[in-house]
Amino acid sequence: MPGLDVRWIHGAPDCALSTDPPLQVYAFDKDTYILRQSKCAHFEAPFLYLLFGTERAMLIDTGAGNAPVRAVVQGIIEQWQAIHDRPGLELVVAHSHGHADHVAGDDQFRGQPGTALVETGLSSIERFFGFRNWPEEAVGFDLGERELTLIPVPGHMDRQRDDHFAVYDAQTQLMLSGDVFYPGFLYVRDGRAYRRSIERLVCFAAGHHVRYYLGCHIEMTRMKGLAYRSGTTYQPLEHVLELRPRHLAELHAAALETMGGELTRMVLDHFILEPV
Ligand SMILES: [Zn+2]
Ligand SMILES: [Zn+2]
C-alpha cells in the first residue's frame, strides 16, 4: 500500500531564506485536511487535522508559537462551504492533548462565531465529549454522517494533567495518534498508563481497520533508528508521517517488554521509546 502522496515542508538550512508558508495544507481527501506547521516558524512543526462532516468540522490542535492557524482554517472552511453549499457549518476546535505545541493558536478561536473551543484539561473534555469512565471508555463524536471515535491514551503527559486522546475516523480509517505514536521520540511520563493506552489502541485495531496512524510530529530520519537532534529546523531526509498497524505491533511488543518493570529507553526502526 503506497503512503500519503505529499512532500511535507521540512524547514531550511537557513530559515531566513525560507519561502515556506507558515502552514502547509494537504488535502488527504475532499473532507480531510492535514496541516503542517513550518519548521522555520517553530521547530516542533506539528501536524494539525481538519475533518468535515455534514453538520460540523473538527480541528484537532492549534499549533505551536505564532502560526496564523485560524486564517488558514477559515480559508479551507470557506472553500469547502462554497462547494458543499453548507453555510452554517459549526467548527469544533479540540486537542490531541494540552501540551504547549498543540494549543498555541487557541486564542485565535476563543469567542469566535460558529466556533466551539474545547478547552484543554480532563474535566473540560469529559464534559464536552461525554467521557464517563476515563481512560477506559472510548466515546463517539458525530460530525454529521461522519462518526469519530475518541480513545483515551494517557501516559505521554504528567499524570495530573493528562488529557490525551486519539481520534479514529471510520470514513478514512485514519487513527490520529497525537504524541503517543508517531515517527519520533515517544516521550512517556507515566509508563503504566502509556502501556495501557497502547493496549487500548491494539484492542481497537483488532475490531476496526486502521489504514494509517498519523501523529503530530516527525523526528525520525529515513534511516532506521536514527532521529534528528531535538530542536532541528531542517529535516531534508525525514521519515514519512504515516505509521502502519505493523509499527503499532512493534511498539506494543516493546512496551510489553520494557514497561512491565523498569522503564528503559528503546530505539526501534521507526520511533524511539523515551521514558522521561
Ligand atoms: Zn506532547
Ligand atoms: Zn507535541
Side-chain angles (χ1 to χ4, degrees), residues 129-227:
F129 293 113
F131 288 105
R132 282 164 310 170
N133 186 22
W134 180 278
E136 297 305 329
E137 173 201 47
V139 299
F141 187 66
D142 189 8
L143 299 181
E145 295 170 35
R146 188 174 194 179
E147 179 80 9
L148 306 178
T149 305
L150 314 187
I151 304 163
V153 285
H156 162 69
M157 299 181 78
D158 290 323
R159 194 176 307 170
Q160 318 80 267
R161 48 186 289 248
D162 204 327
D163 59 356
H164 204 315
F165 61 82
V167 177
Y168 178 71
D169 172 34
Q171 185 168 310
T172 55
Q173 302 179 328
L174 297 176
M175 178 72 83
L176 309 180
S177 50
D179 277 6
V180 162
F181 186 43
Y182 67 89
F185 296 99
L186 306 181
Y187 296 107
V188 175
R189 291 174 181 79
D190 181 338
R192 270 174 71 98
Y194 186 80
R195 185 166 66 160
R196 286 286 303 130
S197 292
I198 299 309
E199 285 170 354
R200 215 169 283 122
L201 291 178
V202 168
C203 285
F204 187 88
H208 302 79
H209 187 259
V210 179
R211 204 155 143 202
Y212 302 124
Y213 294 84
L214 302 180
C216 287
H217 305 279
I218 299 173
E219 291 151 0
M220 298 303 283
T221 69
R222 282 180 223 159
M223 277 67 75
K224 286 180 177 175
L226 201 66

Side-chain angles (χ1 to χ4, degrees), residues 14-275:
D14 180 355
C15 278
L17 303 175
S18 168
T19 53
D20 287 346
L23 287 154
Q24 175 185 9
V25 178
Y26 166 63
F28 177 84
D29 64 23
K30 64 182 179 28
D31 300 318
T32 310
Y33 295 80
I34 307 175
L35 284 63
R36 189 191 202 178
Q37 205 172 334
S38 165
K39 270 220 155 253
C40 284
H42 196 288
F43 74 91
E44 293 280 11
F47 290 85
L48 289 59
Y49 297 90
L50 179 63
L51 312 176
F52 287 88
T54 56
E55 301 296 322
R56 55 191 66 84
M58 183 159 164
L59 174 67
I60 299 159
D61 289 353
T62 64
N66 264 323
V69 180
R70 181 161 184 268
V72 171
V73 166
Q74 275 303 115
I76 303 168
I77 291 176
E78 277 160 30
Q79 211 174 32
W80 190 94
Q81 286 179 312
I83 294 167
H84 295 84
D85 193 23
R86 286 192 187 269
L89 199 78
E90 182 197 20
L91 174 64
V92 174
V93 180
H95 310 88
S96 58
H97 64 301
H99 274 158
D101 53 319
H102 303 265
V103 305
D106 280 12
D107 278 347
Q108 297 169 32
F109 295 94
R110 203 169 273 122
Q112 293 293 338
T115 304
L117 173 68
V118 186
E119 300 284 353
T120 57
L122 196 51
S123 58
S124 164
I125 64 169
E126 280 177 331
R127 205 175 323 123
F128 189 89
F129 293 113
F131 288 105
R132 282 164 310 170
N133 186 22
W134 180 278
E136 297 305 329
E137 173 201 47
V139 299
F141 187 66
D142 189 8
L143 299 181
E145 295 170 35
R146 188 174 194 179
E147 179 80 9
L148 306 178
T149 305
L150 314 187
I151 304 163
V153 285
H156 162 69
M157 299 181 78
D158 290 323
R159 194 176 307 170
Q160 318 80 267
R161 48 186 289 248
D162 204 327
D163 59 356
H164 204 315
F165 61 82
V167 177
Y168 178 71
D169 172 34
Q171 185 168 310
T172 55
Q173 302 179 328
L174 297 176
M175 178 72 83
L176 309 180
S177 50
D179 277 6
V180 162
F181 186 43
Y182 67 89
F185 296 99
L186 306 181
Y187 296 107
V188 175
R189 291 174 181 79
D190 181 338
R192 270 174 71 98
Y194 186 80
R195 185 166 66 160
R196 286 286 303 130
S197 292
I198 299 309
E199 285 170 354
R200 215 169 283 122
L201 291 178
V202 168
C203 285
F204 187 88
H208 302 79
H209 187 259
V210 179
R211 204 155 143 202
Y212 302 124
Y213 294 84
L214 302 180
C216 287
H217 305 279
I218 299 173
E219 291 151 0
M220 298 303 283
T221 69
R222 282 180 223 159
M223 277 67 75
K224 286 180 177 175
L226 201 66
Y228 283 99
R229 69 177 166 75
S230 176
T232 187
T233 53
Y234 183 44
Q235 298 190 164
L237 293 173
E238 70 181 10
H239 196 284
V240 295
L241 173 64
E242 60 274 21
L243 293 174
R244 296 161 190 265
R246 66 185 157 87
H247 300 130
L248 185 71
E250 288 169 19
L251 175 61
H252 187 216
L256 284 178
E257 193 177 315
T258 68
M259 295 201 179
E262 194 76 358
L263 293 188
T264 49
R265 184 171 199 263
M266 251 187 140
V267 178
L268 288 100
D269 287 352
H270 302 279
F271 44 84
I272 295 171
L273 199 53
E274 188 88 56

